[in-house]
């Protein structure tokens, strides 16, 4: 049994290595890139966890709106393309809607 657990302690990290590598690559993806869908999927998983409290959800949505802006800016400046602009507009609307649901007025103003 010890040998099995020892082997398993090496197999699991090696099996997770491609997932980790792809996740790192996807973080810099912009609309139109191969890993962009993967990145958005990961954000959806994090958003599900952030949805437990309105303030946390609003903070994450606000952060996503900032990311979408940066992505669209990079695509426009480098490729002269507006790919992702609709996602940015949607992201800002979602962030605004979530910020309005934050119960604490001071936190809403900060967001």
């Amino acid at each position: 049994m010890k040998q099995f657990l020892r082997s398993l302690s090496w197999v699991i990290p090696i099996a997770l290595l491609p997932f980790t590598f792809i996740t790192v690559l996807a973080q810099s993806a912009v609309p139109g890139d191969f890993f962009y869908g993967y990145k958005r999927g990961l954000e959806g998983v994090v958003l599900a966890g952030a949805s437990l409290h309105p303030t946390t959800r609003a903070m994450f949505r606000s952060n996503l709106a900032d990311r979408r802006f940066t992505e669209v800016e990079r695509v426009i400046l480098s490729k002269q393309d507006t790919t992702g602009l609709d996602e940015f507009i949607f992201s800002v609307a979602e962030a605004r809607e979530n910020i309005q649901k934050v119960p604490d007025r001071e936190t809403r103003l900060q967001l």
Side-chain angles (χ1 to χ4, degrees), residues 42-99:
L42 288 176
E43 289 172 349
V45 170
V46 174
L47 180 61
S51 297
L52 298 175
H53 192 276
T55 303
T56 308
R57 183 177 181 89
M59 291 170 102
F60 187 72
R61 282 286 189 185
S62 178
N63 185 312
L64 284 179
D66 288 342
R67 284 186 196 179
R68 297 294 89 87
F69 175 77
T70 302
E71 292 167 359
V72 169
E73 182 181 44
R74 282 179 52 201
V75 170
I76 289 172
L77 293 175
S78 66
K79 300 176 184 176
Q80 304 297 312
D81 188 6
T82 59
T83 301
L85 190 58
D86 290 339
E87 288 183 52
F88 167 65
I89 293 167
F90 175 77
S91 188
V92 169
E94 285 288 314
R96 183 172 184 231
E97 182 179 311
N98 282 269
I99 289 169

